[in-house]
Amino acid sequence: MAQSSDLGYEHNRNHVDTPMVPYKAADSSNTTWVVERTDMSPMNKGYEHMQEQERLSGDNDGNENRNRNVTSSSTTTKKEANGELQYSVDDVPPWYTTIALGLQHFLLMFSGVLSIPLIISVPLCVHSPEAQTHLIATIFFVSGLVTLLQATFGIRLPIVQGGTFTFLLPTFAILNVRGPCMTFDPANATSVADAEEFWHGRIRDLQGAIIVSSLVQIVLGCTGAIGILLRFIGPLTIAPTIGLIGITLFSVAEGQMSTHWGIGFLTFALITVFSQLLGNVQLPLPGGKKFPVFTLFPIIISIIIAWVVCGVLTAFGVFPDDPDAYGYQARTDINSDALKNSPWFIFPYPGQWGVPTVTLAGFLGMLAGVIASMIESIGDYYACARLSGAPPPPAHAVNRGIAMEGLGCLLAGLWGTGNGTTSYSENIGAIGLTKVGSRAVIQACGAFLIVVGLCGKLNAIFSTIPVPVIGGVLAVTFGMVGAVGFSNLQFINLNSSRNLFILGVSLFLGIAVPHYIHTTENAIDTRSDQLNQILTVLLETSMFVGGATGLILDNIIKGTPEERGLVKWIEATTVAGEEAEEEETGSHSPVYNLPLIMGLLRKWSWTSIIPISPTFHGFHPKHWRKSNDSEA
């Protein structure tokens, strides 16, 4: 976050052992944190003494004049921090803009959510299109519900929640234990009933594994175990973690674009033109007002244009009819039967497939997916905060976000989506393109997901979006995610061989180890199937390998705070300053405050030791006593 030019530095003479010292200027509402220096020159000491005397001098009229400038200074600082954002986290666009932007985010994540039930339907042995439609509706409904919970009561950043590919490997392993699918006669009612019970039993195994492993995630978040990890995270951990998220996801975008490169590049080009070349073009409205249509809606406009082009080319027979031929996935009539046969309304409910079953092997395998998902989500939180104009999430916000994702996995297990939930990186990348980081937009997206989950016909309509169109969108958004990750390198000393070593090794291992595990049969053999499964899932996750490598090396290899980028990172993000300011004054960043109950949380002193509370100060007794003293 940019600092106002009128903020100064103060040498703390009373706490010489404190590395970071808060100073709130008399004419600013902001707090600057600086590194404690014990080797200050006489000139610096004299200058700071003059600053101190100047701050202490003046009468009430002078203070009032300075106070009148606080709002202007704060506003300038906020605009500098937000850059070109049209709407930041707490801003609420007009209702029609909110709906349109929410629909844009929905369309962006639609393919990812839809692909998961389509992928797992085969090993689940789903026996009919109607059952598959019900499974699709369930994951959309739960994704919308968890998105609303996360954006409103969880991390409170504009992050969409949905199904995750991280859970697919343990899913396949669990289903392989149950053996192959059974054969049945569609004309025989008894055989059809047996086939339905067969796949219900298989998904109940997944439900049990997801439910139990989600409890571990909830505990890690609620106890603050994840927040403790943040004390050791710096730019050299965040950069490879977020960067590798984008790099890893490139293969997903390439796989979808390659179904028809022409349509994929058309979508890619349209987004580039609208977001980068026509971003300053505004549509005139009645009354002399102007609307930045291309800045706000580059993705949804591009999808509509490419969708229409595919529809016209399909009608003229340009694309082949053979499902195995190149270009077939660009057709818009592939799922036309689903539109005719799908019901108007579907009502998913907990336990709709029966009582979940739990096995140790299933739990341990799915737990690996949960751990990998948590590491990825922490990187997503920082990327989202940076793009949406919010301060980086403090420990209590990350704790709450991880706990809410655990609750989301728990709900997914109860409803029976066959998968868990996690943060969607592609939607975070869209924030950088649209310059809209509003929480209200993501809440609107969550509402869209719920409505689509309840309406089978809407499910079918959106399923006609061609695969290469979605691939073109993902190519841009995944690139934005990777770029945001590597932008954190601006804070470190890139002339330091130490930093270059850590960065290079983190990226290399983050790419090489997952590639080896993925391409080598029986790469992990510990003579324990459960342990093999856990290690395979973790080591196949590039952001976990790269992020963990960066975290370990950055903390064990000696380096100064300036060399590691911690000083500039703290000054730019003010995350450490805000957390320490909370300890000193009891104030909190409003972005991460919970709605409606902040008055009660501040009133109850015991909430300062609850890791998911915005009033959380840490577990040390002095923090709890300080909270009591401040309220007294």
Side-chain angles (χ1 to χ4, degrees), residues 61-299:
D61 293 338
N63 290 335
E64 292 176 0
N65 291 334
R66 283 191 293 266
N67 289 337
R68 279 193 292 267
N69 294 328
V70 168
T71 302
S72 176
S73 176
S74 300
T75 302
T76 302
T77 301
K78 181 177 180 181
K79 288 181 179 179
E80 291 174 357
N82 291 348
E84 300 178 357
L85 278 179
Q86 299 292 325
Y87 300 99
S88 60
V89 178
D90 290 323
D91 294 336
V92 180
W95 65 268
Y96 47 86
T97 305
T98 300
I99 293 176
L101 290 170
L103 177 61
Q104 179 171 250
H105 275 279
F106 167 79
L107 292 176
L108 183 59
M109 70 173 299
F110 180 86
S111 176
V113 176
L114 179 65
S115 62
I116 290 174
L118 294 179
I119 292 172
I120 66 175
S121 291
V122 177
L124 273 177
C125 308
V126 176
H127 69 292
S128 66
E130 291 76 16
Q132 188 179 65
T133 300
H134 202 148
L135 186 62
I136 293 173
T138 301
I139 195 170
F140 272 105
F141 177 82
V142 173
S143 296
L145 179 62
V146 178
T147 295
L148 288 176
L149 291 175
Q150 182 71 282
T152 307
F153 303 107
I155 189 69
R156 287 184 57 76
L157 287 172
I159 294 181
V160 175
Q161 302 288 298
T164 169
F165 291 101
T166 308
F167 284 22
L168 291 182
L169 184 59
T171 294
F172 297 151
I174 293 171
L175 296 179
N176 286 337
V177 174
R178 293 185 62 99
C181 297
M182 64 172 291
T183 58
F184 71 99
D185 181 8
N188 188 313
T190 303
S191 180
V192 171
D194 291 341
E196 181 172 347
E197 177 57 32
F198 183 81
W199 84 265
H200 283 183
R202 295 170 75 89
I203 196 172
R204 288 197 294 266
D205 283 354
L206 297 181
Q207 288 181 256
I210 293 170
I211 289 173
V212 178
S213 60
S214 69
L215 297 178
V216 176
Q217 187 173 6
I218 294 174
V219 170
L220 289 176
C222 291
T223 58
I226 289 295
I228 294 174
L229 179 64
L230 298 182
R231 300 179 183 179
F232 306 97
I233 290 180
L236 281 172
T237 301
I238 296 298
T241 300
I242 304 178
L244 285 169
I245 291 175
I247 292 176
T248 303
L249 293 175
F250 285 161
S251 61
V252 178
E254 180 272 333
Q256 298 192 13
M257 285 188 69
S258 62
T259 58
H260 195 288
W261 285 107
I263 297 299
F265 273 114
L266 170 64
T267 309
F268 177 88
L270 289 172
I271 295 176
T272 302
V273 171
F274 293 145
S275 64
Q276 303 302 318
L277 302 181
L278 300 180
N280 295 326
V281 176
Q282 298 187 349
L283 183 68
L285 298 176
K289 297 181 179 180
K290 294 183 178 180
F291 187 72
V293 59
F294 295 117
T295 299
L296 296 178
F297 307 111
I299 296 177

Side-chain angles (χ1 to χ4, degrees), residues 579-620:
E579 289 180 351
E581 182 186 2
E582 289 173 8
E583 293 183 4
E584 293 294 328
T585 66
S587 61
H588 306 275
S589 174
V591 172
Y592 302 103
N593 285 349
L594 291 174
L596 305 178
I597 62 172
M598 285 306 303
L600 292 176
L601 294 178
R602 293 191 179 102
K603 182 179 179 181
W604 295 332
S605 59
W606 54 268
T607 62
S608 63
I609 60 173
I610 305 300
I612 60 175
S613 171
T615 58
F616 177 61
H617 290 307
F619 296 107
H620 197 281

Side-chain angles (χ1 to χ4, degrees), residues 12 56 59 159 178 212 216 219 250 255 267 276 290 310 319 367 386 443 456 479 513 526 538 573-574 585:
N12 190 333
L56 294 176
D59 53 17
I159 294 181
R178 293 185 62 99
V212 178
V216 176
V219 170
F250 285 161
T267 309
Q276 303 302 318
K290 294 183 178 180
C310 289
F319 300 131
L367 181 61
R386 186 172 180 82
Q443 292 169 334
V513 172
T526 62
L538 290 178
T573 61
T574 69
T585 66

Side-chain angles (χ1 to χ4, degrees), residues 159 189 227 236 308 344 346 430 479 506 534:
I159 294 181
L236 281 172
V308 171
W344 278 101
I346 299 175
S506 300
I534 293 174

Side-chain angles (χ1 to χ4, degrees), residues 26-54:
D27 55 347
S28 176
S29 60
N30 298 320
T31 299
T32 296
W33 282 73
V34 299
V35 176
E36 177 69 39
R37 295 179 295 175
T38 57
D39 59 344
M40 297 179 66
S41 65
M43 180 178 295
N44 287 335
K45 290 182 179 179
Y47 175 69
E48 294 206 352
H49 177 72
M50 294 174 59
Q51 282 190 317
E52 181 178 1
Q53 295 298 322
E54 181 180 355

